[in-house]
Amino acid sequence: MSGFGRCQSLVERLGATCLLLVLLLSRRALFVLGQTPATPVIVSDLSGYPGKGYSLGVSLGTPPQELRVIIDTGSSNFAIAGVSNPDIANFFNTSLSSSFIDLNQQVSVTYTEGFWKGRLGTEYLMVAALSPLRVHLVAIDSAKDFYVKDSGWQGILGLAYPTLAKPDSSVTPVFNSLVSSGRVTSNMFSMQLCGTVDKGRKLDITTGGKLVMDGLSSTLYTGNIFYTPVQRTDYYEVAINRVDVDGVPLNFECTEYNNPRTIVDSGTTGLRFPTAVFNEMVKKMRAVSEQRAPTAIKPCAESDVFWQNTGVCCVPPENSNELFSTFPNISIILPVAGSQSTFKLTITAQLYLQAVPAVKLNKDCYKFFILPSDYGSVLGAVAMEGYYVIFDRQHRQIGFAASTCQIRDPEFDKPAVLGPYAGSSDPSACLYVPASSSSDTKYIGIGVGVGVGFIVLMVIVGAVVSNRGSDGRTSHESAGSSDGVYSRFA
């Protein structure tokens, strides 16, 4: 790292030579061929735990300090711990950096539960093995219920549009700075979130993934990429045309799925739908699951606390296959950009049943991660983990393709992107139009882990359903929700 420190201090004079040295010294990036054969695509590793987010390693300051930040497409600030906190292992010590510039402005973000506040400044950041760049950041000096214990990250890297930045859009998000400086040329980034997998029939509850900060990598997906238009540019807002349960459409007007909006958000754990949609969906899913469930799975399929997101289902490892075959697929139908057709994302049980730490010895435990929302639909990590997702800001569209991630059990349905299907109406016809503006409501928080202490344990026949008490939230959670995910409605 001493080579990087020397490079950073000479960056303005050495230019391309310094960039080459940085790339050679970085251990966090892998080079693969992307869309343009002459241009290497930098693929950075992501890591985490279920319900605690996907994080990326970054270097900050002079000399560089190594930290990890959660990757969040539902917010726009770059904020990092500036003081110690019991829930994190380290923090960015601004007094040890010769390049930190304090802008003498306080920034605060308040969540329904918890908050952070800190000093706005600028600092040299090295991310994804790109050459150091001076960016806006907030050094957090006070926080409550923001950090997630044992998550491994100390801050947040918001990748949404500048309109969401706090205190206002004069704060330039990191990705915008990368584009304007020429370090990123395509105005496009992409990610592959891989969730959890079985390793020799032993459930591994760590998660991993990849982030491509400039373009896309053909090694991270298979088949065709289907793009859907971004409807409004603050969040990555899209429009859902229809939702199916086990191949049968729910009976809602398409505007109800997007009430008041639908966003694609890597900073939210769950797949969320408006409350009315969620209730009908669970009713249909429960009916299918109860009919299919074998003896070992029936306690889960019939458990109120499981379907209400306040409990988990634990089964012997040999019965996990029966669990995945019991619960039905969910299909989300989206419009194809620039056409009158649609495509379909298939969300399988292996995606929406998320592995959590076992609450009973020799059991595999899962939580139902489809959740109700008072603030619209959110295609969070549960949905994204099935796909390679491309955020094409230049063309205002988001692409989905089948991921090359390993799935827990290849015997069952894999997440799929299917289409095109003819007959779509104008996607703008599915946008929800409120009676009065609600533009001040923002998704600006991040969220929480599911591995907190379980309060009540109920053993039912061959399965275990654990009731987590109250609403199961641990931090950053919006009012009315129950999953402890990274909801950012402040």
Side-chain angles (χ1 to χ4, degrees), residues 362-441:
N362 298 321
K363 300 284 187 179
D364 284 349
C365 297
Y366 301 90
K367 190 174 189 297
F368 179 55
F369 263 97
I370 301 177
L371 303 132
S373 168
D374 293 330
Y375 301 92
S377 295
V378 183
L379 306 186
V382 161
M384 294 176 66
E385 282 171 357
Y387 308 99
Y388 183 50
V389 185
I390 301 102
F391 295 81
D392 183 356
R393 292 155 57 111
Q394 182 173 349
H395 300 102
R396 285 189 56 165
Q397 59 187 7
I398 296 179
F400 294 86
S403 171
T404 57
C405 291
Q406 178 185 351
I407 63 171
R408 285 190 216 138
D409 197 326
E411 177 182 343
F412 297 99
D413 290 343
K414 294 181 179 180
V417 187
L418 302 175
Y421 302 102
S424 170
S425 60
D426 181 355
S428 63
C430 291
L431 295 182
Y432 179 79
V433 179
S436 60
S437 174
S438 59
S439 60
D440 289 337
T441 301

Side-chain angles (χ1 to χ4, degrees), residues 45-57:
D45 290 330
L46 303 175
S47 64
Y49 298 91
K52 297 185 179 183
Y54 287 83
S55 65
L56 171 73

Side-chain angles (χ1 to χ4, degrees), residues 32-36 39-43 186 188-191 212-221 225 227 388-392:
V32 297
L33 293 183
Q35 288 178 297
T36 305
T39 303
V41 173
I42 304 172
V43 182
S186 63
M188 175 196 304
F189 64 91
S190 54
M191 62 183 67
V212 181
M213 196 62 89
D214 192 358
L216 57 86
S217 168
S218 60
T219 67
L220 301 180
Y221 71 95
I225 301 173
Y227 287 93
Y388 183 50
V389 185
I390 301 102
F391 295 81
D392 183 356

